[in-house]
Amino acid sequence: DTLVDNDAVSRNLLKVYALSFIPHGAACNPDGYEYLKDTLVDNDVTEDQFDLVFSHIEDIMFCLRIDCDDLSIPPTPQFSAAYDYMCAGGVDFDLAFDFAGYIPKTNVNEILRLDLDILQIGIFLETEAYEAAVDYYTYGYNAQLSSGTLLSLSDLATSDTRTNVPLQYEDFHQYYENQNYADAIMLNILNRQYVFADASPQQLSALATSYLQGMVMYMAVLEKLYTAIDDCKNSSSKDGGVKSWDTGAAMYVGSIDAVRPSSGMMMYALGNEMCEFFETCDNTDKTDRAYVSKRIMEALVNGKNLLDDGQCDGAFALITNSIIDILPVPLVQATLHFAKENEMLEAGTDSPELGRGNAYASSIVPLANDENPDEAAIIENNMHFVLTDQPVPDGSQAVFSAFVVVLPGFGIDCNDVGKYIPVGDEETSVCAVEEERPEDPGDTPTDLGDGLYTTTTYVQDRANIAADMVEIMKQLENGNKEIAREIYARGGNSDIFNENGVKIGQRSFGNFSTSETLQMKDEEMYALYTYALQDNEGKFNGRDVRLYADSIVQEAFETRSLADKTVGGEAALVFNLWMYTVHELYQTLRKCKNRVIADTDGVHSIDEVVAYWIGDGQQTGSQNGHLLYAWAETQGNLFRSNQFGQTRTNSNIIRLFNEAKLELSFPNACVDNPNTYPRLRIIVDKIIAVMTVPIIQGLIHYLRNTDTTRARLYAKAFIPHAAGCNLGTYQWLKTRLIDFSWSAIEVDAIVEGIESTYSCLGLTCEDIGEYRYYDRKTCENEKDIMPLADYTPESDVRPYSRLDLDVLSMYISMSRGAYGAAADTYKHGKHAVLDDGNEQQVLSLYQLATSTGWSSVPQFDSFARYYGSDRYANDIVQRGLAPSLDPHASLEQRSELVVKGSQLLVVQMAVLAAMHEALDDCKSANPERQAAAGAAWDKAAAYLAGSNGRTKHGLMHFALADNRCAQFGTCDTDGKSQAGKKLTTLLYAGRAEINGKACSALSKTIEEIVPVLFVPLIQGTLRYAVELNKGTNVFGATTNGDVAEGYIYSRSILPLVEDANRESAVIIDRNFDWPDATSTIRTNTDEIFDAFSKAYKGLKVDCKMVGETSGFSACEGARYSEREEGGGDNTGMIVGIIVGVIAAVAVSALIWVKHPNLGKDTSSVMVDSEQAASLVTNEAGLVESGENKSKNPFGKKSEEVKLVRNEAGEFNEDSQMNENAVHSSQVNHNEPLKGEDVEDALV
C-alpha cells in the first residue's frame, strides 16, 4: 500500500514494513530476498522496478501459503496496482501451478515446496539451530500431502521404490555398501559426527544443502520417472503414470525456480548455476538457463504428453535416450568447478566451498566407479572432506583427466559439460581430443570384408576395433601382457565422435564388459549369463558377477602356458565383443519398440552390429580376420560346415542381418507399422541363436582335443545358454566343466548334454556340423512328434510346449532384477514360435492371459466375476513386473507373482480353453474344424507338460503335481502323482474320443479332467498354509517368497472355492490375501484345511487324492470323497464309452492310436482299451506298455559312465555318481536365487 506513494512519509513506512516482511523471504527465495532488500530497504524503489517487486512478493506469498483471499483489505487506489498484478489470475493453491514452462496435469504444488525444506535446513545449520535442521530433514515441514502427512527429505533418501531405477540406484547402493547411503551421510552431517565433527556451521550448511540437491534429488527424480512408466503399464493405474511423472518434474525444478531461474535448491537450479562457468547457458529465450535444463524440461513435457496418450514405451525411451545421459551433467560441472576453486585452499579451511565440492563429487563418483574404479578413486581422493588434508592434493587437472576417461561410459557428451573458463585462467575441457574427422563421412557406406558386406551407413569407426585385437594378439604373442592389457582397457583405434564430428573418446574391449554393462542389466542374455555364472554370494571370481566378462579376460591374461598365451585375446572376443554385439541388437529392438527409430537410424543400428561381427581387414571365408566373423570361420571349418565359400554360420548370420535391415529400411517402419517390432524380434532371436554356434563348436572341439584351458573358457560361454533350456542339464554341466574337472570318459556324455539343448536354442545338428576329428555321429535332431510327459500327441505341438521356456526365462530375468527383460518375454514371447508356412509368429503368455478364447471355459466366468476383470491373470502378473505397485515386496516375492502367476493362472486356464476349443471343433459341422480338434487337444497336453516334461526341473502342471505328491503322500511307487497319472489316462481317452467323433463323451472327459487339475493347486495352497504358520513376520520386513507363492496358489483356486462354499473362500482369502507393508504374516493351518474340507464336494475333488502333509489331512472333517459317494475313478467308464462309441460307428472294438516311427512313415499300434491307463513312451516316442518303461527315452547311454537322460534331456547319474558332485546351498532370500534353489522357486 505504501509502495506506490512517492512521498517521504510513505517511503519511510515502506522501509519499516519491508524490514518486517523481507526476512520471511530469506527462507523462501534467496534471490528474491536480496532483490527486495536492495530495492526496498537499502535504496529507494523506482516505478520501473514495481513489476519485479510484485513478482518477488508473489513468490514469497506462495512460500508462506498466503493467497489473494487472505489479502482481505479492500483495494485502495494505492493498493490496486500490486493487487491487480499478483491477483488478477488469482493465487489459488487448489490449482496446479505451472513451473519452468511445464504445465502439469495433476496438482504437484506441495512437491514443488520440497526445495524450501532444503533451503531452511541450510539456514538452520548456518545459524546453529541443529535440532530444527534434524526435525525438518526427518519429518518435513513445507510439503503437505493430500493425506495430511508431510513428505520429508528423509522419506526420499530412504524410499523403497528407488529400486525402480534399474542401474543408477544399484551403483550407489553397491559403492556405499548401504541401501540408505544418502540418509546415512545426511545424519552424519546433521549430527556433526565422524569427518563432519569439526566442520564450521557454514560448511555444514553447504554440505547438507548440496548433498540434498545432488545425491538425494538426482535419485528421487529418476525414481519418480521410472515409477511413472510402471504406473502407465499397470492397467489399474488411474492416471496412467502422469501423476508420478509430474511429481518427478516438480522434484527436478522446485518452487524457487518455478517462475524464473533463481538460486534454487534442485538439480534444475544447479545446472543453471554451473552453465555460466562452462559456457553452456542458453540465451536464446532470455532465461539464462542451462542447455541441459532446457533439454530436460522439453523431454519432461514430451513424456507427460506421451503418458497422457498411454504411450508408456515412448515415455520410457525419453528417459533412456533424452534424460539419463544429461541429468548428471550439472553434478560433473559442479565437481570440476569446485576442484578448480578448492585447489587453492589451505588445510584446515572453513570455506563452505569445500563442502559443496565434496557433496557434488560424492553424487557422481558411484557412476564413475562403475565405469572405471581407478579414475573414480582419483576423483574421490581429491574431493573428499577431510579438514586436516590439503584440498585437491593432486590438483584440479587430475580430476579433469579422470572425467576424460569416465565420461564416455556415462553416455555424456563432453560438449554438454563444456569448457571450464574461470576468470583470468585458461580454459580446460573434459573432451579427450578435440580433433575433427578429416572429412565428415555422413552416410558414406562402409565396405566390410572387401565386398563381403557393404553397409548403408558409415560404420568404419566401429570396424576399426579389429585393429585393437590385432595389437592385443601381437603383444600377447611377444609376451607383453601388460601392454596387451592396456590396449584391452583403453583401446587405441576405434574413435568415438559426437554428432558434431568431434572426437570424445575411444572404444575398447574392456569398456564393452565394464561401463556398457550399465545398459545391459535389463537385457535377457546378460541376465542369463550373470544368473548362470554367479556364486552363492552373487560374485564371479571374487568380483561382482556383472563384470564376469572382464574377470574371465583378466584371468586369461594371467595364463603361464605358452600354448595358451593368446587366450586372453580370444576371451575378449568370445565374451566382451560377443555380448556387446548382442547388446547392440537389443538396443535396436528397444528403440524400435519405443518408436524412436526414424529415417536411417534403424539401418545404421544393424550396420553397427555387422561392423562388430566382421570388422576391418576381413576377407570372405577367411580365418585370418580379427573379429567374430573370422572366429566363426575358424570354428566352423572344424565341423565341415563350409557353405558358399564361407561357413554355414556366417552365411546364415549375414542373411539374417540383411533381413533385419530390410525390416527397418522402410520409412518410419517402427513408428507406422505395428508388425515391424514383432518380426524384428524374431529375427534378432535367430541372430543370437546363430551367434551361439561357434561357442558350441569351440566347446566340443576343445573337449575332444583335450585343451582344458580353452574348453573351460568356452564352457563358461555356453553353460548360461543351457540354463535357459533346462536347469538340470545346466547344473550337471556346470558341476563338471566349471566347478570341477572332467575325465576323458565323460566327454561323450558331456557332448550329449550339449546336444540336448539345440532345439531349445533354435538350432539343429546341421547348424553345428560334424566334427572333423571324430567319426562317430552322435547328434540327432528333435523329432516332429515328441512325448509330452507320459502322453504322446498325434500332432506337432512342440511350439506350445516351449512356453515353459518363457516361464524359465522370466524367472531368470526376475531373479536378476531385469524387469524389462521379463516383461518383454511375457508380453512378446520368445520360444513358442508358430509357423504356418508363410509367416512366423510368436505365442506369448500375455496373449494367452488376454485371450478372448477363455470365455468358452465354464470356470472362466467364476474367475472373471471373482476378480472383477476378465484379465485377472494378466493383472496379477503385471503387478509383479511393476515394482512400484508393491514397493515393500522383495525381488523374490515379485518373481513369484510373475512366475507362479504365469504357471498357475495363465497356463491353467489356457489348458481348459484348448480343451474346449477341441470340443467345439469336434461338434462343428465343418470338416476342417473337425480335423483340427485333435491338434487343439494335443495343444492342451503341450501346455500341461511343457518341453521339460514330467521331470524334477519341469515347470508345468505335470511337474508341479509330481512335486506336490511327494509332500502329500499321493505318489505312486514310481514317484509320479496319482493326479498326474489319472490326467494322462484322461488325455488318451479324450484323444480317442476325438478320433471316434464321440463329442458327448469328450465333454464328460473334460468335466472329469477339471477336478484333477485342481488337486496340485489345492495341495500347493495347503502346503503354504503349513509353511506360513511356522513363524510370524511383518511383510515389509521379510523377503521370503513363500508369501507370494501362497497368494498365487490360493488365487488359482479361490474363485471356484467361492462357488462351492462362500464361507470357505472367505477364510482362505483372509489367510492368503496380499499383505501391506505392516501386515503380520501367519496362517491358521487348521482353519484353512477345514475350509477346504467343506468345499471338496462342490469342487468334485477327492480329498484322498489331495492327501496329507505335516500331520494335517485333507480328508479330516471332509464332507466329500469320490469313493465314499460312489464316484470312484470314472476312467473305466470313459474307456467303456469310447469302445461303445467306436463300435457303434463300426470302426473297431479296439482303439487305434497313431504314433511316429523315428520320423519315417506313421504306423499304427493296436491297444486294448483296458491297457490305456498303463501306456508309456519309449525312446522313439512310441507308446508301449508299462513293462518297458525303464528304457531311456533318449536311447543312448555312455558306455563308460553310468549316465542316463530323462525325457526332457536332463542328465542324471545312478547311485554311483561322483561323491564330489556339488549341490548349491540353501536359498539366500536377500539375493537372487542360484543353482538348484530354483527347484523350490519354480516347482
Side-chain angles (χ1 to χ4, degrees):
D1 198 22
T2 60
L3 179 62
V4 295
D5 286 340
N6 200 25
D7 56 77
V9 174
S10 295
R11 285 197 296 273
N12 289 332
L13 282 173
L14 173 62
K15 294 184 185 296
V16 172
Y17 280 109
L19 283 168
S20 63
F21 170 74
I22 289 173
H24 296 282
C28 290
N29 187 317
D31 281 358
Y33 159 74
E34 291 291 346
Y35 183 83
L36 292 177
K37 180 175 178 294
D38 177 69
T39 305
L40 303 181
V41 178
D42 296 340
N43 296 287
D44 291 332
V45 63
T46 59
E47 188 171 347
D48 63 344
Q49 296 173 318
F50 281 7
D51 283 354
L52 194 52
V53 168
F54 296 153
S55 179
H56 283 302
I57 292 174
E58 183 183 14
D59 292 344
I60 297 173
M61 285 173 58
F62 172 80
C63 168
L64 300 177
R65 300 185 185 277
I66 299 172
D67 63 24
C68 290
D69 291 339
D70 295 321
L71 303 180
S72 56
I73 302 172
T76 63
Q78 295 84 1
F79 185 74
S80 60
Y83 188 89
D84 288 345
Y85 182 94
M86 296 184 295
C87 298
V91 180
D92 188 347
F93 292 102
D94 293 329
L95 298 177
F97 289 177
D98 302 350
F99 49 91
Y102 183 93
I103 305 174
K105 298 283 291 186
T106 60
N107 192 326
V108 288
N109 296 348
E110 294 298 322
I111 304 300
L112 286 168
R113 297 172 60 86
L114 276 168
D115 59 350
L116 301 177
D117 280 6
I118 299 178
L119 174 62
Q120 290 160 22
I121 287 170
I123 293 172
F124 290 142
L125 289 172
E126 191 167 351
T127 56
E128 302 183 46
Y130 299 124
E131 290 186 6
V134 172
D135 284 347
Y136 269 47
Y137 170 74
T138 306
Y139 305 111
Y141 183 78
N142 288 284
Q144 299 180 12
L145 302 181
S146 58
S147 60
T149 60
L150 292 170
L151 177 64
S152 74
L153 293 160
S154 174
D155 293 336
L156 300 185
T158 59
S159 170
D160 290 332
T161 50
R162 287 171 299 156
T163 56
N164 287 0
V165 183
L167 304 175
Q168 290 76 14
Y169 171 71
E170 192 65 21
D171 288 336
F172 278 82
H173 169 203
Q174 291 192 1
Y175 184 79
Y176 288 111
E177 298 180 345
N178 188 332
Q179 292 181 340
N180 296 325
Y181 54 90
D183 183 62
I185 295 172
M186 279 301 303
L187 291 176
N188 286 339
I189 294 170
L190 294 170
N191 293 314
R192 293 160 291 148
Q193 55 191 14
Y194 303 115
V195 296
F196 309 115
D198 297 322
S200 69
Q202 291 76 18
Q203 286 176 326
L204 291 172
S205 176
L207 283 161
T209 54
S210 301
Y211 267 107
L212 290 168
Q213 181 183 41
M215 186 176 287
V216 174
M217 299 316 301
Y218 168 75
M219 195 61 65
V221 170
L222 289 179
E223 174 191 336
K224 289 303 177 184
L225 298 186
Y226 278 108
T227 299
I229 304 303
D230 288 343
D231 292 345
C232 180
K233 292 180 178 179
N234 172 36
S235 57
S236 64
S237 176
K238 295 180 180 179
D239 55 49
V242 174
K243 175 68 173 178
S244 293
W245 191 271
D246 285 347
T247 300
M251 288 180 175
Y252 175 66
V253 176
S255 66
I256 299 173
D257 288 271
V259 177
R260 71 191 68 81
S262 187
S263 54
M265 294 286 129
M266 300 303 209
M267 289 284 290
Y268 178 79
L270 181 62
N272 298 337
E273 178 189 359
M274 288 297 126
C275 73
E276 296 183 7
F277 299 106
F278 290 84
E279 291 193 342
T280 55
C281 296
D282 175 26
N283 299 314
T284 58
D285 55 4
K286 298 181 180 180
T287 60
D288 294 325
R289 64 178 175 177
Y291 278 114
V292 292
S293 301
K294 178 181 179 180
R295 287 161 58 190
I296 289 174
M297 292 310 302
E298 289 172 348
L300 290 172
V301 170
N302 292 335
K304 175 198 64 179
N305 294 334
L306 288 169
L307 290 172
D308 199 34
D309 291 338
Q311 297 184 39
C312 314
D313 290 338
F316 176 79
L318 279 173
I319 298 175
T320 56
N321 298 330
S322 302
I323 296 177
I324 285 289
D325 290 348
I326 59 175
L327 188 61
V329 165
L331 298 174
V332 174
Q333 291 174 325
T335 303
L336 295 171
H337 169 67
F338 287 108
K340 276 285 189 181
E341 290 288 303
N342 295 344
E343 68 179 339
M344 303 304 294
L345 298 175
E346 300 290 339
T349 180
D350 61 359
S351 170
E353 276 73 12
L354 186 66
R356 293 194 73 188
N358 168 253
Y360 296 131
S362 298
S363 302
I364 199 70
V365 161
L367 302 181
N369 182 72
D370 198 81
E371 162 65 18
N372 189 307
D374 292 338
E375 303 299 335
I378 292 173
I379 299 170
E380 180 186 26
N381 293 337
N382 280 278
M383 302 302 292
H384 63 197
F385 188 87
V386 179
L387 292 176
T388 56
D389 289 355
Q390 170 67 42
V392 199
D394 300 324
S396 61
Q397 189 55 52
V399 179
F400 273 79
S401 298
F403 274 111
V404 169
V405 175
V406 300
L407 279 184
F410 288 6
I412 293 178
D413 186 337
C414 64
N415 292 289
D416 287 333
V417 177
K419 301 174 182 177
Y420 185 70
I421 309 177
V423 178
D425 201 350
E426 295 182 359
E427 65 181 43
T428 310
S429 173
V430 288
C431 289
V433 180
E434 296 185 18
E435 61 181 46
E436 296 189 2
R437 293 178 176 136
E439 294 181 9
D440 183 4
D443 288 332
T444 304
T446 302
D447 181 359
L448 297 172
D450 194 19
L452 169 62
Y453 190 100
T454 301
T455 65
T456 305
T457 61
Y458 182 83
V459 291
Q460 184 63 49
D461 48 352
R462 271 85 174 174
N464 288 342
I465 195 76
D468 282 7
M469 183 53 62
V470 173
E471 293 184 24
I472 289 171
M473 288 297 196
K474 178 181 177 181
Q475 296 301 331
L476 290 175
E477 284 280 3
N478 294 331
N480 300 320
K481 293 181 183 179
E482 292 309 313
I483 298 176
R485 198 190 300 269
E486 183 70 13
I487 299 168
Y488 163 80
R490 306 291 186 191
N493 296 281
S494 181
D495 295 334
I496 302 173
F497 295 91
N498 66 12
E499 59 188 10
N500 298 317
V502 176
K503 179 179 174 181
I504 59 175
Q506 287 185 322
R507 296 174 188 86
S508 72
F509 285 96
N511 280 342
F512 288 160
S513 65
T514 53
S515 62
E516 295 298 339
T517 59
L518 279 171
Q519 305 299 324
M520 296 179 190
K521 183 180 178 182
D522 210 24
E523 296 172 355
E524 180 191 11
M525 191 57 61
Y526 182 72
L528 188 63
Y529 268 69
T530 54
Y531 167 84
L533 295 176
Q534 66 183 337
D535 59 22
N536 289 330
E537 296 179 354
K539 296 183 181 297
F540 179 81
N541 284 1
R543 299 173 70 195
D544 188 327
V545 71
R546 293 188 304 169
L547 302 175
Y548 73 88
D550 186 63
S551 298
I552 291 170
V553 174
Q554 297 293 354
E555 182 182 40
F557 276 138
E558 294 302 319
T559 182
R560 296 183 179 181
S561 169
L562 292 177
D564 299 328
K565 59 184 178 181
T566 61
V567 73
E570 190 171 352
L573 282 178
V574 176
F575 290 93
N576 301 39
L577 186 58
W578 191 95
M579 185 58 76
Y580 186 73
T581 303
V582 170
H583 165 64
E584 287 283 301
L585 288 168
Y586 281 138
Q587 288 280 70
T588 305
L589 268 181
R590 185 179 298 114
K591 291 175 183 177
C592 185
K593 184 181 73 170
N594 295 335
R595 298 190 293 178
V596 295
I597 287 181
D599 300 325
T600 61
D601 290 350
V603 172
H604 181 65
S605 296
I606 297 300
D607 284 346
E608 289 179 349
V609 173
V610 179
Y612 289 127
W613 183 265
I614 297 177
D616 190 46
Q618 181 66 54
Q619 298 291 321
T620 302
S622 173
Q623 302 176 39
N624 295 324
H626 315 294
L627 297 185
L628 297 170
Y629 179 96
W631 167 64
E633 286 296 309
T634 300
Q635 302 302 335
N637 280 319
L638 295 170
F639 284 77
R640 300 190 178 100
S641 68
N642 194 279
Q643 187 180 63
F644 309 117
Q646 58 190 345
T647 61
R648 178 186 177 105
T649 297
N650 280 323
S651 293
N652 286 340
I653 209 162
I654 289 175
R655 172 179 54 80
L656 290 167
F657 284 152
N658 283 316
E659 287 182 17
K661 192 155 73 169
L662 180 62
E663 282 289 344
L664 295 168
S665 62
F666 298 101
N668 297 319
C670 295
V671 176
D672 297 337
N673 189 343
N675 296 320
T676 298
Y677 174 74
R679 287 199 296 257
L680 183 64
R681 186 178 171 87
I682 291 174
I683 296 170
V684 166
D685 284 340
K686 288 181 179 179
I687 291 173
I688 295 172
V690 177
M691 288 176 62
T692 310
V693 170
I695 295 175
I696 295 171
Q697 292 169 331
L699 176 55
I700 294 174
H701 167 63
Y702 294 121
L703 281 169
R704 296 215 181 276
N705 201 38
T706 64
D707 185 335
T708 304
T709 299
R710 284 181 168 81
R712 198 177 295 279
L713 179 78
Y714 277 78
K716 293 169 184 173
F718 169 73
I719 283 173
H721 297 276
C725 292
N726 184 294
L727 289 172
T729 301
Y730 152 69
Q731 290 165 3
W732 189 85
L733 290 172
K734 182 173 183 288
T735 298
R736 280 148 186 80
L737 297 179
I738 295 181
D739 297 337
F740 293 98
S741 298
W742 63 95
S743 63
I745 61 173
E746 291 181 291
V747 170
D748 281 349
I750 291 171
V751 172
E752 282 189 48
I754 297 167
E755 291 170 347
S756 72
T757 66
Y758 289 175
S759 62
C760 159
L761 299 175
L763 301 173
T764 65
C765 297
E766 291 72 28
D767 289 326
I768 308 303
E770 297 180 15
Y771 184 50
R772 187 180 297 276
Y773 304 110
Y774 191 74
D775 294 333
R776 178 183 167 195
K777 182 179 179 180
T778 62
C779 188
E780 295 180 4
N781 287 324
E782 183 181 69
K783 301 170 184 63
D784 291 343
I785 307 297
M786 293 295 294
L788 300 169
D790 292 335
Y791 172 82
T792 300
E794 296 182 22
S795 49
D796 184 2
V797 288
R798 290 174 297 165
Y800 299 103
S801 72
R802 291 180 185 135
L803 271 174
D804 65 340
L805 300 177
D806 281 5
V807 173
L808 177 57
S809 173
M810 288 159 53
Y811 166 74
I812 290 174
S813 294
M814 289 296 294
S815 73
R816 294 299 305 161
Y819 295 105
D824 280 346
T825 302
Y826 172 71
K827 185 168 185 178
H828 302 289
K830 178 179 180 181
H831 295 90
V833 181
L834 308 178
D835 192 339
D836 62 4
N838 296 316
E839 185 178 15
Q840 289 185 332
Q841 293 183 333
V842 181
L843 177 67
S844 73
L845 290 157
Y846 170 79
Q847 292 170 9
L848 293 182
T850 57
S851 170
T852 57
W854 286 10
S855 59
S856 64
V857 180
Q859 291 77 16
F860 175 70
D861 289 340
S862 299
F863 279 82
R865 182 176 62 254
Y866 184 87
Y867 290 107
S869 169
D870 58 1
R871 293 191 167 197
Y872 64 92
N874 177 63
D875 293 342
I876 290 176
V877 173
Q878 294 283 11
R879 186 175 183 174
L881 291 169
S884 62
L885 298 180
D886 286 298
H888 298 287
S890 69
L891 179 62
E892 186 180 348
Q893 289 159 352
R894 290 193 288 269
S895 177
E896 296 298 349
L897 289 177
V898 173
V899 175
K900 282 295 188 297
S902 298
Q903 291 171 307
L904 305 184
L905 296 174
V906 178
V907 175
Q908 293 283 6
M909 192 59 69
V911 168
L912 292 175
M915 289 182 172
H916 281 276
E917 178 187 347
L919 178 60
D920 291 343
D921 288 344
C922 181
K923 292 178 178 180
S924 174
N926 185 327
E928 292 184 0
R929 286 193 60 186
Q930 290 179 3
W937 189 259
D938 288 344
K939 178 169 65 175
Y943 291 150
L944 286 166
S947 65
N948 281 314
R950 197 170 183 173
T951 66
K952 178 180 179 182
H953 295 287
L955 303 174
M956 296 308 206
H957 184 93
F958 276 109
L960 294 173
D962 288 347
N963 182 66
R964 294 301 168 206
C965 81
Q967 298 165 345
F968 282 79
T970 55
C971 299
D972 278 349
T973 55
D974 60 358
K976 295 182 178 180
S977 68
Q978 297 169 10
K981 288 195 170 184
K982 183 172 182 179
L983 181 57
T984 300
T985 301
L986 292 169
L987 285 172
Y988 277 117
R991 195 56 159 98
E993 288 155 355
I994 290 171
N995 290 345
K997 296 183 174 57
C999 304
S1000 296
L1002 177 64
S1003 179
K1004 292 179 180 178
T1005 297
I1006 295 174
E1007 291 179 7
E1008 182 90 4
I1009 284 174
V1010 170
V1012 179
L1013 293 177
F1014 295 164
V1015 170
L1017 307 182
I1018 294 171
Q1019 289 173 326
T1021 307
L1022 294 175
R1023 177 68 176 175
Y1024 288 102
V1026 174
E1027 291 298 316
L1028 294 174
N1029 181 256
K1030 292 180 179 178
T1032 302
N1033 289 297
V1034 174
F1035 177 59
T1038 180
T1039 62
N1040 196 318
D1042 289 353
V1043 177
E1045 288 205 66
Y1047 171 78
I1048 294 294
Y1049 266 106
S1050 68
R1051 265 54 201 167
S1052 69
I1053 195 69
L1054 256 177
L1056 304 174
V1057 173
E1058 185 178 61
D1059 290 346
N1061 188 300
R1062 185 178 297 273
E1063 180 184 348
S1064 295
V1066 171
I1067 292 170
I1068 296 167
D1069 175 63
R1070 183 176 66 243
N1071 277 274
F1072 286 106
D1073 195 17
W1074 190 250
D1076 59 32
T1078 58
S1079 295
T1080 299
I1081 303 167
R1082 184 165 185 173
T1083 53
N1084 186 323
T1085 309
D1086 288 307
E1087 185 179 52
I1088 296 169
F1089 269 77
D1090 183 64
F1092 269 111
S1093 74
K1094 296 173 183 176
Y1096 289 136
K1097 183 172 184 178
L1099 293 170
K1100 298 182 180 179
V1101 170
D1102 184 353
C1103 67
K1104 291 185 173 61
M1105 190 172 284
V1106 177
E1108 59 181 58
T1109 185
S1110 302
F1112 294 91
S1113 171
C1115 289
E1116 187 172 341
R1119 312 290 173 83
Y1120 174 73
S1121 167
E1122 266 189 2
R1123 296 177 179 84
E1124 292 170 3
E1125 299 257 337
D1129 189 337
N1130 294 333
T1131 305
M1133 178 187 72
I1134 292 172
V1135 174
I1137 291 172
I1138 300 164
V1139 173
V1141 170
I1142 297 177
V1145 295
V1147 176
S1148 174
L1150 298 173
I1151 300 171
W1152 290 75
V1153 183
K1154 302 286 186 180
H1155 303 288
N1157 185 11
L1158 295 173
K1160 299 179 182 178
D1161 295 338
T1162 302
S1163 62
S1164 300
V1165 180
M1166 298 176 62
V1167 183
D1168 188 88
S1169 59
E1170 294 181 359
Q1171 296 176 318
S1174 63
L1175 297 179
V1176 296
T1177 54
N1178 65 15
E1179 65 268 27
L1182 298 173
V1183 173
E1184 62 182 15
S1185 65
E1187 288 80 8
N1188 296 321
K1189 65 185 178 182
S1190 62
K1191 290 186 179 179
N1192 177 6
F1194 273 70
K1196 296 186 293 289
K1197 181 163 62 175
S1198 173
E1199 296 177 1
E1200 296 84 1
V1201 181
K1202 293 187 177 180
L1203 181 73
V1204 295
R1205 266 196 296 193
N1206 56 30
E1207 70 268 19
E1210 288 184 356
F1211 280 76
N1212 299 287
E1213 292 186 10
D1214 65 6
S1215 58
Q1216 297 179 3
M1217 181 178 178
N1218 187 333
E1219 294 180 358
N1220 290 326
V1222 173
H1223 299 282
S1224 299
S1225 64
Q1226 295 181 344
V1227 178
N1228 176 354
H1229 290 290
N1230 294 315
E1231 298 292 342
L1233 300 184
K1234 308 169 183 73
E1236 289 190 348
D1237 300 330
V1238 76
E1239 177 187 351
D1240 293 330
L1242 292 179
V1243 182

